Amino acid sequence: MKRSVGQILGRTGIRIPLILWSLAVLYPIFWMFLGAFKSNAEIYRNPWGFPESFSFENFTTAWTNYNIDVSVFNSLIVTAVGAILTLILAIPTAYAIERINFRGSKILFTVYVSAMMIPMVLGWIPLFFLLSDLGLLDNIYGLAIVYAVSQLPFSIFVLTSFIGTIPKSLEESAAMDGMSPYKVLWKIITPLSMSGIITVTIMNAIQFWNEYFMALIFLNSSENYTLALAIDFISSEAQYTNAWGTLFAGLVIAIVPVIILYAIFQRRISKGMTEGAIKG
Amino acid sequence: MVQSKKQKYLFLAFCLIPTFIMFAIFTLYPLFSGLYYSFFDWSGSSQNKEFVGLANYIKLVKDAIIPNTIIHDYFLVATKVIGIMVLALFFAVALTQLKIKEAPFYRIVFFFPNIMSVVVIGILWTFIYNPNLGLVNSGLEFIGLESWAKPWLGDEDWALPSLVLPSVWAGIGLFMLLLMGGISNVSKSYYEAAELDGASEWQQFWKVTLPLIWPQVKISILYIVITTLNGSFIIVQVMTGGGPNNSTHVMGSYLYQQAFVQYNFGYGATIGVMILILSLLTVLILQFFMRRDKVEY
């Protein structure tokens, strides 16, 4: 089929908004990286251009003067503990709901899934006092537990659909051979649903690494700050100190792990998120 | 099966009970006791908890800031739904219908802000709006519109609209992918038939694409509404903290201020109940209006 001139023009024209939006997405991120390597004086002189010379001073200032090192460590702990705990709690329940016939399995699933739609702000006030009573307030492990439970509905939802794709015959023959259900879950189901487990874990890890508001409420002292809180602190300080370069360095430290994960698992992440949204 | 009933129930209990206990303690209990707290006047210490009946709810109705926070929330809902849906639909159609070689590049780039931390997005955009150094004002100066330059986030009229762009910026990718999933499931034969009937690309969009991806459009709108009502306060907190002069407070940020800054925990819980009721009502009403019979050709 021959294409008319109008169509060819249209096809070029359609690229303009696409290119503009790509710039709108990439330029601020790119510029944040550049800003992290500029001195403060240069940020004022030339906020949006290339740095004259790359210096790592901002990173060392952030690392030493603002205790970013401690925050990075806290964030890593919260993310890892939270992600593992979510799996420990979610896999058995997802398996039971999907594969074992019992009364109320549908109701239980509905209870978990509908929790995805409930605004959790209301619960944060009592949660604050509950954590305080349990001695888990201002404690990164307490925060990790709260994170893990908050991602349970999403994780159970995604994992049940993955476990549903495993052929039943495998479990049945294992049970015939006298394997206990615990062993079936651990030795057969878990390895076979690894793809789903990885997707869920990456999504949860990004969520926990990025999370801000619960950390703001449930952590007080600066030695327990997660990265999000530390950056927020530098940001509010920067209004007086104008330490923009340090702030950018903090932002870069926060975003690099996410970029790396996205570079490796781009397909999984976008698929996991769209599937999570479809059920919502 | 070899295993006995007793073994089966033991295994079920092993699978379900620990998880459900954690869920009950850290999700269900806080939600329900949030409802309960809303009937108390409480500054945090256990001695000062006093049952006040509906006093908090009466205060809520009389509080002059509350209507504004509700309006601000729904302003964000409406602008985000329109902004995200228009752009996401446009990009989704462009990337699926027109054969563009570099489509995967756009897909990957547009989605990325969806997984960025709200803190990073908020701070980045605060700087973009910075009155002296920011991209917006420098850009306006560059094209000769200095008079339009303003301290965006410090201006009572402009602060709230300024929050829309970062939210749209951060949200588009996910919904674009959702809609693209819908479009790629539409059979090519419909378009061929439409083309034979002489339908323009524009007509094809309205008559073929949109009706057939209505389920995805509906899900996207609902999802934007829910996440905005339940989470818009995070970007508000990072970018303006509700200021200047309460002009950007949404329900959630006002709750945070009342409960965790001013220690009116009872009243904060009451605001939380309002958020819960409003967001459930909104979803129900929306679902009713967007009911549309599944289209099949």
Side-chain angles (χ1 to χ4, degrees), chain A residues 15 24 48 89 101 210 262, chain B residues 19 102 108 115 133 135 169:
Chain A
R15 282 203 169 81
W48 299 93
L89 292 173
N101 289 320
N210 285 342
Y262 189 56
Chain B
T19 309
E102 68 277 19
I108 291 168
I115 54 166
L133 304 171
L135 190 59
W169 184 82

Side-chain angles (χ1 to χ4, degrees), chain A residues 1 3 7 11 14-15 17-19 21-22 24-29 31-32 43-45 47-48 85 88-90 92-93 95-97 100-102 108 111-112 115-131 134 136 142 145-146 149-150 152-153 156 172 175-176 178 181-182 185 206 209-213 216-218 228-229 231-232 235 244 247-248 251 254-255 258-259 262 266-267 269-271 273-274 276-280, chain B residues 1-3 7-12 14-16 18-23 25-31 33-35 37 42-45 87 90-91 94-95 97-102 105-120 123-125 127-128 130 132-136 138 165 168-169 172 174-175 177-178 195 201 219 223 226 229-230 233-234 237-238 252-253 255-256 259-260 264-265 268-270 272-273 275-276 279-280 283:
Chain A
M1 207 160 73
R3 285 209 177 134
Q7 266 180 325
R11 234 130 277 231
I14 214 97
R15 282 203 169 81
L18 290 169
I19 292 168
W21 194 260
S22 311
V25 171
L26 291 177
Y27 184 56
I29 298 171
W31 156 85
M32 177 176 88
I43 288 174
Y44 270 93
R45 210 169 46 243
W48 299 93
L85 189 58
I88 295 175
L89 292 173
T93 292
Y95 173 63
I97 287 177
I100 303 176
N101 289 320
F102 64 96
L108 189 64
V111 167
Y112 280 124
M116 285 204 269
M117 290 171 57
I118 302 281
M120 288 312 298
V121 250
L122 175 59
W124 289 347
I125 294 173
L127 204 48
F128 177 83
F129 292 101
L130 178 70
L131 289 175
L134 296 172
L136 291 172
I145 295 172
V146 172
V149 177
S150 74
L152 265 185
I156 289 175
E172 278 158 9
M176 290 291 196
Y182 306 92
L185 174 60
I206 292 176
W209 179 262
N210 285 342
E211 210 280 336
Y212 164 72
F213 218 89
L216 176 70
I217 295 176
F218 301 134
L229 288 184
I231 295 169
D232 191 44
S235 167
W244 301 111
L247 178 60
F248 293 143
L251 293 176
I255 207 175
V258 180
I259 292 180
Y262 189 56
Q266 183 266 123
R267 272 183 186 280
I269 293 172
S270 43
K271 209 166 153 248
M273 262 184 93
T274 39
I278 282 174
K279 186 52 215 171
Chain B
M1 289 285 227
V2 212
Q3 49 171 248
Q7 274 176 320
K8 181 188 159 185
Y9 285 116
L10 263 177
F11 179 66
L12 253 185
F14 163 82
C15 284
L16 298 175
T19 309
F20 194 76
I21 289 176
M22 292 297 276
F23 183 70
I25 295 176
F26 291 99
T27 301
L28 297 179
Y29 160 77
L31 276 177
S33 58
L35 286 170
Y37 284 175
W42 189 27
S43 63
S45 66
L87 285 170
F90 174 81
F91 290 141
L95 292 183
Q97 303 296 85
L98 315 164
K99 282 153 203 73
I100 295 175
K101 277 197 303 288
E102 68 277 19
F105 168 79
Y106 296 124
R107 220 186 50 223
I108 291 168
V109 168
F110 292 3
F111 183 79
F112 181 67
N114 281 84
I115 54 166
M116 281 171 69
S117 170
V118 182
V119 183
V120 177
I123 293 174
L124 195 55
W125 278 85
F127 203 85
I128 291 175
N130 185 299
N132 310 313
L133 304 171
L135 190 59
V136 176
S138 326
L165 196 56
V168 172
W169 184 82
I172 274 187
L174 175 63
F175 301 101
L177 291 187
L178 244 168
E195 216 154 286
E201 285 187 342
I219 288 165
Y223 197 76
I226 296 170
L229 287 177
N230 298 356
F233 58 90
I234 305 176
Q237 186 65 34
V238 176
S253 62
L255 178 152
Y256 173 76
F260 294 101
N264 294 321
F265 288 102
T270 314
V273 174
I275 298 176
L276 181 71
S279 78
L280 291 181
V283 169

Side-chain angles (χ1 to χ4, degrees), chain B residues 128-204:
Chain B
I128 291 175
Y129 284 127
N130 185 299
N132 310 313
L133 304 171
L135 190 59
V136 176
N137 280 356
S138 326
L140 286 173
E141 239 165 79
F142 184 73
I143 54 173
L145 291 170
E146 284 112 347
S147 55
W148 291 22
K150 49 175 71 67
W152 298 93
L153 296 174
D155 185 305
E156 277 186 40
D157 295 327
W158 282 97
L160 188 68
S162 300
L163 298 179
V164 176
L165 196 56
S167 315
V168 172
W169 184 82
I172 274 187
L174 175 63
F175 301 101
M176 183 189 80
L177 291 187
L178 244 168
L179 297 168
M180 282 170 74
I183 296 172
S184 58
N185 281 336
V186 175
S187 163
K188 290 266 179 301
S189 58
Y190 295 135
Y191 293 106
E192 281 158 17
E195 216 154 286
L196 281 180
D197 290 346
S200 69
E201 285 187 342
W202 189 242
Q203 281 171 321
Q204 286 178 28

Side-chain angles (χ1 to χ4, degrees), chain A residues 40-68:
Chain A
N40 253 338
E42 207 190 332
I43 288 174
Y44 270 93
R45 210 169 46 243
N46 168 25
W48 299 93
F50 268 91
E52 285 151 16
S53 63
F54 283 84
S55 98
F56 284 89
E57 206 192 313
N58 292 322
F59 289 93
T60 46
T61 317
W63 202 257
T64 51
N65 295 4
Y66 285 93
N67 295 327
I68 289 277

